[in-house]
Amino acid sequence: MDVIVLGGGLMGTASAYFLARRGARVTLIERNRIGTGATVASFGNIRRTGRHLSQLPLAHRALRLWGDAEKMLGRDVEFRATGHIRLIFDEDSLADMRAYAKAARPWGLDLEELGPREIRTRFSGLGPEAIAASFSPHDGSGNPRLIAPAFAEAARKLGAAIVEDARIENIERTDSGFLVATSKGMFAAECLLNTAGAWGARIAAQFGEAVPLDARGPQMGVTEPLPHRILPVVGIWTRNKDHGAYLRQVERGNIVFGGAVERVSVDLDPGHAVADPMRLPAQLGAVARLLPTIAQVAVIRTWSGCEGYVRDMLPVMGRSATTPGLFHAFGFSGHGFQLGPGVGDAMAELITAGYCETPLDDFRVDRFGRAA
């Protein structure tokens, strides 16, 4: 079959790759350049800890593919299973972690609880005031700048057409499928996969499917390079959004950080998100709770990106409820990076085989209408 994929971020490029691998004739259309939207703005966190339980089967599927990424794509996308630690500073958060760990265990996620002495011994320098932590040894991180181009190039080698800098002018449902008019010409296919990120709700609305989605931009930063000492990705269990910082150290020594500040609203036209330097001191204060030495380190760059946040913080994935041949995979609400390969594989299975072995029902596009 022929499939048009709209959007060249991680979800779109992974979908194009797995569709092509299954024998579909694929055209991927991207309004800018491959991987320049929410994907490249990502922190690069590959974590299952703290996810909504219904996302865990998809997260497990994705983690297996991350482990095969270098062999599969023919290049190193810097996936490192260094583990994911979440520090805890108060009893309420400890109770939250224990409740989540108990609930997640039947879903295949086992979290190790660490006490203060274990934190100091195994992860010296992290959270000196922490009373406990959770640790997931098989999670880690990847490079957001490498993964979407790697999937796109691998898809191209399998015969997929990758069309960049193509503005969508019109989408029409025809008797044989879909006709997409762009600034670079007309494209036709039996199926249409909407992986347009923050713009995904606009496409869904053209087919009578309303999704409550807001476009927002996170604030990210990176420090000067330091001696490499921090292996795991570091986060926090907290009910206070002002404390919700996270960080990781890349192999080149720089510390990438984010969180702890409100995500700013982004206008989808043109969709450019800019970091606010006035928010940086408060953000660094929250990060220093996890890693006190960051207070003496120079920040060399900050950035943001346009992400789509759905009202219930769950993605929209699966078949359209109104239009045969239309499929959606968007609205990952700032936590889609880890899921990306699994999303692409699952959507390719659904489109080509007509079913998906990973449960997707909680992500149906019509769930908002059903809830009303």
Side-chain angles (χ1 to χ4, degrees):
M1 65 174 62
D2 294 305
V3 183
I4 291 173
V5 179
L6 298 180
L10 175 52
M11 305 307 171
T13 56
S15 296
Y17 169 77
F18 287 110
L19 281 163
R21 201 167 78 164
R22 286 174 173 264
R25 294 181 296 272
V26 183
T27 300
L28 184 150
I29 302 173
E30 164 56 38
R31 66 196 296 267
N32 292 313
R33 305 293 292 179
I34 293 297
T36 57
T39 300
V40 79
S42 170
F43 173 67
N45 199 357
I46 296 176
R47 67 158 178 91
R48 293 166 297 163
T49 305
R51 288 194 177 277
H52 191 280
L53 297 178
S54 65
Q55 283 190 351
L56 286 177
L58 184 62
H60 296 325
R61 182 173 186 159
L63 187 61
R64 290 192 294 270
L65 292 167
W66 276 109
D68 292 337
E70 184 172 356
K71 180 180 179 182
M72 185 170 62
L73 302 177
R75 60 185 293 187
D76 181 13
V77 294
E78 297 182 8
F79 167 65
R80 304 290 185 265
T82 54
H84 183 272
I85 185 172
R86 267 192 163 183
L87 300 170
I88 299 167
F89 294 90
D90 60 82
E91 294 294 336
D92 287 342
S93 298
L94 178 58
D96 290 345
M97 184 277 286
R98 287 173 172 168
Y100 180 83
K102 181 178 180 181
R105 196 168 297 117
W107 293 79
L109 177 61
D110 288 317
L111 297 180
E112 181 182 356
E113 181 178 330
L114 307 180
R117 181 176 297 178
E118 291 172 290
I119 297 171
R120 314 292 177 261
T121 302
R122 294 171 58 178
F123 306 106
S124 177
L126 295 181
E129 298 177 359
I131 64 171
S134 68
F135 185 62
S136 178
H138 302 297
D139 292 334
S141 63
N143 192 325
R145 292 182 173 273
L146 300 179
I147 188 63
F151 266 121
E153 181 58 28
R156 186 183 285 113
K157 289 178 179 177
L158 292 175
I162 309 296
V163 184
E164 298 178 277
D165 296 313
R167 186 180 66 257
I168 302 295
E169 297 173 345
N170 187 58
I171 304 174
E172 180 182 349
R173 180 75 170 91
T174 68
D175 291 339
S176 58
F178 297 86
L179 188 64
V180 179
T182 80
S183 58
K184 289 199 170 179
M186 304 285 287
F187 300 90
E190 299 170 58
C191 296
L192 182 70
L193 173 57
N194 171 18
T195 58
W199 291 264
R202 285 186 173 181
I203 294 171
Q206 294 181 42
F207 297 93
E209 298 181 304
V211 176
L213 180 146
D214 295 316
R216 298 193 177 277
Q219 177 148 319
M220 310 298 301
V222 63
T223 73
E224 62 183 322
L226 302 168
H228 190 261
R229 293 173 180 166
I230 305 169
L231 283 178
V233 177
V234 185
I236 184 174
W237 287 95
T238 180
R239 299 177 185 180
N240 187 336
K241 64 181 181 180
D242 294 332
H243 294 165
Y246 43 85
L247 65 93
R248 66 184 179 93
Q249 188 174 27
V250 303
E251 291 171 353
R252 292 170 292 280
N254 311 76
I255 295 173
V256 184
F257 61 88
V261 291
E262 194 71 28
R263 292 171 172 86
V264 298
S265 294
V266 179
D267 186 349
L268 286 177
D269 299 309
H272 295 151
V274 180
D276 181 359
M278 299 301 292
R279 297 167 179 247
L280 185 58
Q283 185 176 45
L284 286 172
V287 176
R289 197 179 191 201
L290 309 181
L291 181 68
T293 56
I294 204 167
Q296 284 80 46
V297 180
V299 175
I300 61 174
R301 185 168 69 92
T302 60
W303 69 93
S304 186
C306 185
E307 299 176 333
Y309 289 79
V310 181
R311 181 177 62 197
D312 61 6
M313 295 297 286
L314 293 176
V316 173
M317 276 187 73
R319 302 177 187 275
S320 163
T322 64
T323 308
L326 174 63
F327 298 83
H328 301 293
F330 69 90
F332 288 86
S333 305
H335 53 248
F337 186 77
Q338 190 273 346
L339 299 176
V343 171
D345 194 31
M347 295 308 299
E349 180 185 29
L350 180 62
I351 292 170
T352 59
Y355 64 88
C356 181
E357 66 179 20
T358 301
L360 303 176
D361 191 62
D362 279 6
F363 316 137
R364 286 176 51 173
V365 67
D366 63 346
R367 67 183 185 266
F368 309 104
R370 289 185 296 169

